[in-house]
Amino acid sequence: MKYISTRGNAPKLAFDDVLLTGLARDGGLYLPETWPQFSTEDLADMKGLSYTDLAVKVMLPFVEEAISREDLSAIVSDTYAGFDSGDIAPLVKLGENEYVLELFHGPTLAFKDYALQFLGRMFDHVLTKRGAKLTIAGATSGDTGSAAIEACRDRDNIEIFILHPNGKVSEVQRRQMTTVLSDNVHNIALDGNFDDCQNTVKALFADEAFRDQVHLSAVNSINWARIMAQVVYYFWAAFKAGAPETSVAFSVPTGNFGNVLAGVVAKKMGLPISQFIIGSNANDILIRFIESGRMEAKNVFATTSPSMDIQISSNFERFMFELLDRDSSALNDAMEEFKETGHYAVTELFMERLKEIMDGERFDDDATAKIIGEVHKETGYLLDTHSAIGVGAARARRWDETVPMICLATAHPAKFPDAVEAASGVHPQLPEHLSDLYVKEERYIELPGSFNAVKGYIETTLKERGKL
Ligand SMILES: *Cc1c(COP(=O)(O)O)cnc(C)c1O
């Protein structure tokens, strides 16, 4: 299996190179050259598999020639061994033909663990084989940082530096990062806001000499290996809800479009999915796009679903590439226009094709709180703010009541306790394995919001660790 860039101007790579590269050299995103196919018979055979066996079956065609079946199988087993549900991703029935797929049974209680726990182990495997090392740098406003830290902790080939805005992330989120005392984990509380953190990280990547010297890499959601690991739970949930004998629909609370894209990939591979619904908060660039055919960036608002507070959805590019029948030149034109003007428009034909499979809805913070309260009253089930947007969007936009609707629950309610309690009157409890979070020792360094301070700290730390 080889991978090509959406922009059509980067070398074709094998899976292990795509894993370490992230963004393609032409600025595009890597995708498999062809989509592996499962027939209805294949699907019927896959239906009884355990989560880990299913994961190997679904991912093997994507890694062929780069990773052996035995290695993939060992990595997958290790990845999900620590999850706190035997089912890994339990499907819970909310009502008639309405389900919630719980994707918060990993170490940091958000769906990002399903991909990042895998990615960290994959990195380690490939780096060990090559005798190579990586320095990972990232900025976080909350969720991604803790999931990345949990994924990379105690891995000999990786040093990870995560910047968060000092005093501006929730206490749960900060503690999930700073109570990881592993020697290769370095938390930086930066004097500034999230944009300052992100700009500092961007400047590190732009410093080519530094980037090469420390083998700088990222773990953001444009990495193909993350999407690939997420494809698995679409198959898993669809089977539990009746596929392949019936088609199913998915509703996905969406930010960067990585999660819903994994569902689109599952459909490409033969899984019968009749509709995708995307849910947004007040940062509704995708909903405005569905309504108007025009993609336009605006300022970011802070909401009670902070993991979806995005300006643009970077993974939308892969979806667009597919809807354009992989026409790189048309895609380049749109991306060029976006870079220059902050917006682009697509053709009517493009929108027709999109609307054959996708719909979406937006909810502000009040509407989100209302959904949490209603669902809790109706069913006793407690949704977090992100998952509530998925359920709300499903109810507002589903095309066919007879098709099972699977709403992705992307975070545990205890990650956002204040908003959930205000909406439902119930204080969500942290699961057992995190119950000591508020008493554990924290470790982080406070730095001024200056590029040189951060760069200097990384250099000094790598030297002390014998990595430079
Ligand atoms: C990251 C995140 C999302 C958004 O997922 P995308 O793949 O960026 O669309 C939704 N909910 C939670 C809880 C998240 O952490």
Side-chain angles (χ1 to χ4, degrees), residues 19-310:
L19 173 80
L20 298 182
T21 303
L23 199 68
R25 217 187 295 164
D26 59 3
L29 308 184
Y30 275 108
L31 271 184
E33 204 166 27
T34 57
W35 295 113
Q37 294 296 315
F38 293 123
S39 67
T40 309
E41 272 173 18
D42 294 334
L43 294 173
D45 286 344
M46 290 154 70
K47 192 167 172 150
L49 297 178
S50 68
Y51 191 91
T52 47
D53 287 345
L54 181 65
V56 173
K57 180 88 186 162
V58 169
M59 294 198 282
L60 190 61
F62 289 115
V63 304
E64 253 168 356
E65 285 153 48
I67 313 285
S68 72
R69 171 188 275 275
E70 294 67 44
D71 287 343
L72 178 66
S73 180
I75 292 166
V76 163
S77 297
D78 192 49
T79 296
Y80 298 108
F83 281 50
D84 73 3
S85 162
D87 250 6
I88 313 297
L91 190 72
V92 177
K93 191 165 181 167
L94 265 195
E96 188 58 29
N97 270 335
E98 186 180 50
Y99 300 88
V100 166
L101 178 64
E102 292 187 347
L103 297 174
F104 48 71
H105 292 279
T108 73
L109 312 182
F111 88 95
K112 292 189 172 68
D113 288 329
Y114 288 73
L116 280 168
Q117 285 290 312
F118 175 78
L119 188 76
R121 286 167 175 81
M122 236 340 146
F123 269 146
D124 221 16
H125 174 77
V126 172
L127 291 169
T128 302
K129 234 163 64 180
R130 298 183 175 194
K133 303 223 178 297
L134 274 189
T135 301
I136 290 182
T140 188
S141 55
D143 270 358
T144 310
S146 57
I149 285 170
E150 280 294 342
C152 296
R153 65 185 295 175
D154 304 315
R155 303 195 180 285
D156 291 342
N157 303 315
I158 302 175
E159 296 288 316
I160 179 165
F161 294 83
I162 297 291
L163 283 66
H164 71 264
N166 201 353
K168 294 193 179 71
V169 299
S170 80
E171 187 174 5
V172 180
Q173 290 179 323
R174 187 192 73 237
R175 286 184 165 274
Q176 281 191 309
M177 298 191 281
T178 58
T179 58
V180 177
L181 302 181
S182 305
D183 291 340
N184 70 328
V185 171
H186 314 287
N187 277 291
I188 299 171
L190 200 80
D191 190 11
N193 59 26
F194 172 63
D195 284 338
D196 297 320
C197 292
Q198 206 160 27
N199 288 334
T200 306
V201 170
K202 275 190 193 153
L204 292 171
F205 277 91
D207 184 336
E208 282 186 27
F210 178 73
R211 194 175 69 191
D212 292 345
Q213 186 193 11
V214 306
H215 305 287
L216 202 61
S217 185
V219 289
N220 49 24
S221 73
I222 54 119
N223 197 306
W224 166 255
R226 278 183 67 174
I227 307 291
M228 180 180 85
Q230 290 168 192
V231 175
V232 177
Y233 52 67
Y234 282 89
F235 281 91
W236 171 258
F239 292 150
K240 298 247 162 192
E245 291 81 6
T246 150
S247 36
V248 298
F250 284 94
S251 181
V252 188
T254 297
N256 259 325
F257 207 79
N259 204 3
V260 66
L261 182 83
V264 173
V265 171
K267 183 175 166 68
K268 288 257 167 212
M269 294 170 77
L271 190 65
I273 302 174
S274 59
Q275 186 189 8
F276 292 100
I277 300 175
I278 55 179
S280 292
N281 60 28
N283 299 289
D284 61 349
I285 179 168
L286 290 169
I287 308 302
R288 285 184 279 116
F289 179 73
I290 291 176
E291 288 166 352
S292 69
R294 189 177 147 92
M295 192 72 89
E296 182 174 20
K298 289 193 179 166
N299 288 337
V300 180
F301 304 98
T303 72
T304 54
S305 45
S307 302
M308 301 179 354
D309 291 350
I310 47 94

Side-chain angles (χ1 to χ4, degrees), residues 5 62 77 81 89 122 139 203 305 322 332 389 454:
S5 163
F62 289 115
S77 297
M122 236 340 146
S305 45
E322 290 298 314
N332 271 311
I389 287 174
V454 173

